[in-house]
Amino acid sequence: MGEVIVITSGKGGVGKTTTTANLGTGLAVQGKKVVLIDTDIGLRNLDVVMGLENRIVYDLVDVIEGTCRLKQALIKDKRYEGLHLLPAPQTRDKNAVTPEQMLKLCDELKEEFDYILIDCPAGIEQGFKNAIAGADKAFVITTPEVSAVRDADRIIGLLEAHEIRKPRLIVNRVRADMVKRGDMMSIEDIIDILAIDLIGVVPDDENIIISTNRGEPAVIDGKSMAGQAYRNITNRLMGQDVPIMDLNVSEGLLSKMKKLLGFKTA
Amino acid sequence: MLDTILSFFKKKESSKDVAKERLKLVLIHDRSNVSPQFLEMVKGEIIKVIQNYMEIDEESLDIQLTKTNSEDGERMVPALVANIPIKGMKNAGR
Ligand SMILES: Nc1ncnc2c1ncn2[C@@H]1O[C@H](COP(=O)(O)OP(=O)(O)OP(=O)(O)O)[C@@H](O)[C@H]1O
Ligand SMILES: [Mg+2]
């Protein structure tokens, strides 16, 4: 029996789609059977981040309305065995799907897959309600900014109201240099305020943009800091105890030498 | 003048501390749903207690969630401010 995890944030543009793509790919690389569902109807993006935009025939609403069978709509990623995408329609309205229908779909997918990751749209309206309807767990994404943390707090309240207990936090786009000089809230500051468990920290990393340009999630890039962060989160999700990454970018001589000698620090 | 000299020596608060303080305050409002219902509930309870000792003007009782200076004057902290006009004391209070 698989597990349904919704990736949500409240505020837009904080990294939900990026996180869904990276965790999904990370899990598939580890041999899991995974489906990613894009629930951002009308503004789909998970397909391009995954580099699967040219392979879409059917979408989420086609499945729900019975225009096609579930199997027909699932795009198989040929690069990673076990990875599938169910894209969102681009030309439909959010009300084309109900929470009950999403719940039914998730229950069906759980029979066959290990992980179902749901990329939630921004906001707290219908799209959010659909995205969380079938979820067993939730990952809340925030960045170290006042507006994003505030929205995360609101989302945590709503998740709990919908009986999705103990959501876990991912802090994205952290800049160690700014934290160091006191111009960015630290992970401790954010956890202190939101009072939820942390599952990971992802640095602000230009490799995310480069990998999105190519349609290849950073998690497969051994040299990317963000990729390492997503590999760590993938392992934690699978139950391993991995220490939170030290994002310190201004390294001392010793760690530089270690790196030159091929020791991994991340 | 003295103020400007003093403020020259006082280190400017880091922007992340400002962010944290502001977040804490705004979340108190967000979390308590400072929905009118929440404040009405608090108000109802306060009236019940105070009425044991005083006669109060229920109509003009005013209660709000707001901010005030902390004791050390360094920060703003959330405060529940109630303005309760008293009409008279009850015997029990004497
Ligand atoms: N760790 C990171 N470092 C650098 N850039 C990042 C990082 N995470 C996300 N981004 C960039 O931020 C932008 C928004 O990311 P993404 O699309 O994943 O957010 P989202 O929460 O899904 O947005 P929306 O609410 O619009 O669906 C993208 O351009 C992405 O490349
Ligand atoms: Mg998105």
Side-chain angles (χ1 to χ4, degrees):
Chain A
M1 191 73 163
E3 190 169 62
V4 182
I5 304 171
V6 62
I7 318 256
T8 180
S9 69
K11 186 169 157 61
V14 297
K16 296 177 292 295
T17 302
T18 305
T19 300
T20 308
N22 278 284
L23 296 187
T25 306
L27 287 165
V29 167
Q30 301 254 12
K32 299 293 176 189
K33 285 193 79 180
V34 184
V35 186
L36 311 180
I37 309 181
D38 189 347
T39 59
D40 205 344
I41 297 176
L43 282 174
R44 76 171 170 222
N45 266 330
L46 189 53
D47 56 336
V48 284
V49 175
M50 294 292 298
L52 296 171
E53 67 275 16
N54 294 325
R55 305 215 10 235
I56 297 177
V57 182
Y58 297 109
D59 59 49
L60 174 63
V61 171
D62 291 323
V63 172
I64 278 172
E65 290 181 343
T67 313
C68 69
R69 278 177 295 110
L70 177 54
K71 277 284 161 59
Q72 290 175 293
L74 292 180
I75 302 168
K76 261 179 117 151
D77 193 319
K78 290 173 185 153
R79 298 161 298 181
Y80 315 103
E81 169 95 40
L83 185 57
H84 303 75
L85 170 70
L86 181 53
Q90 193 65 311
T91 54
R92 297 292 296 264
D93 177 283
K94 295 211 187 296
N95 302 316
V97 180
T98 67
E100 293 72 33
Q101 291 167 328
M102 275 303 291
L103 176 62
K104 191 166 157 272
L105 174 67
C106 290
D107 284 345
E108 203 177 325
L109 287 166
K110 271 203 271 195
E111 299 288 328
E112 200 182 325
F113 294 90
D114 299 317
Y115 290 97
I116 296 98
L117 302 188
I118 300 181
D119 183 14
C120 182
I124 54 174
E125 312 298 325
Q126 181 72 23
F128 168 75
K129 289 179 185 145
N130 287 337
I132 67 169
D136 302 310
K137 286 186 179 173
F139 288 172
V140 176
I141 317 283
T142 189
T143 56
E145 284 176 86
V146 176
S147 53
V149 176
R150 181 201 197 166
D151 290 359
D153 188 77
R154 184 109 165 81
I155 287 295
I156 293 164
L158 290 173
L159 287 169
E160 278 165 1
H162 283 87
E163 317 244 300
I164 302 179
R165 305 262 176 245
K166 292 201 145 241
R168 300 178 77 182
L169 183 70
I170 294 178
V171 184
N172 189 21
R173 308 201 72 161
V174 176
R175 287 185 51 184
D177 55 331
M178 290 189 73
V179 173
K180 213 172 200 176
R181 63 170 195 256
D183 277 332
M184 183 175 269
M185 283 184 283
S186 68
I187 308 307
E188 293 73 35
D189 291 332
I190 297 169
I191 295 174
D192 183 32
I193 286 169
L194 293 178
I196 66 170
D197 284 347
L198 182 73
I199 187 159
V201 176
V202 183
D204 193 68
D205 183 355
E206 61 181 39
N207 285 307
I208 291 287
I209 296 166
I210 297 170
S211 63
T212 307
N213 286 342
R214 298 189 196 282
E216 292 164 359
V219 72
I220 54 157
D221 177 356
K223 290 193 288 290
S224 149
M225 275 265 264
Q228 181 63 50
Y230 280 123
R231 284 194 291 281
N232 290 351
I233 299 173
T234 306
N235 289 332
R236 283 181 206 118
L237 175 53
M238 288 170 32
Q240 288 174 33
D241 194 11
V242 185
I244 294 289
M245 194 169 170
D246 180 9
L247 298 182
N248 242 324
V249 281
S250 56
E251 354 178 288
L253 190 63
L254 186 68
S255 64
K256 265 189 194 147
M257 279 177 62
K258 271 191 188 162
K259 264 212 182 125
L260 280 173
L261 294 171
F263 289 100
K264 272 220 174 112
T265 48
Chain B
M1 183 60 196
L2 188 65
D3 265 5
T4 37
I5 294 170
L6 280 178
S7 72
F8 181 79
F9 287 107
K10 207 162 137 189
K11 214 173 142 212
K12 210 173 155 213
E13 195 178 2
S14 72
S15 76
K16 79 124 186 195
D17 286 333
V18 177
K20 230 181 136 177
E21 288 305 321
R22 292 178 57 220
L23 251 173
K24 280 186 177 163
L25 285 180
V26 77
L27 289 185
I28 285 170
H29 278 257
D30 289 1
R31 284 177 187 168
S32 59
N33 283 323
V34 178
S35 60
Q37 292 100 299
F38 172 81
L39 282 181
E40 278 308 311
M41 266 167 55
V42 177
K43 195 165 150 182
E45 298 284 318
I46 290 179
I47 291 175
K48 254 195 273 169
V49 174
I50 294 186
Q51 268 177 345
N52 292 332
Y53 306 94
M54 303 168 195
E55 263 179 69
I56 57 176
D57 181 2
E58 279 187 47
E59 290 298 303
S60 45
L61 182 147
D62 179 40
I63 167 166
Q64 311 181 351
L65 207 47
T66 168
K67 300 163 207 176
T68 184
N69 266 314
S70 65
E71 242 163 74
D72 57 15
E74 295 279 323
R75 299 162 294 137
M76 293 298 280
V77 292
L80 188 67
V81 173
N83 199 334
I84 309 169
I86 302 168
K87 283 183 180 163
M89 302 302 279
K90 290 200 171 163
N91 280 333
R94 289 204 178 119

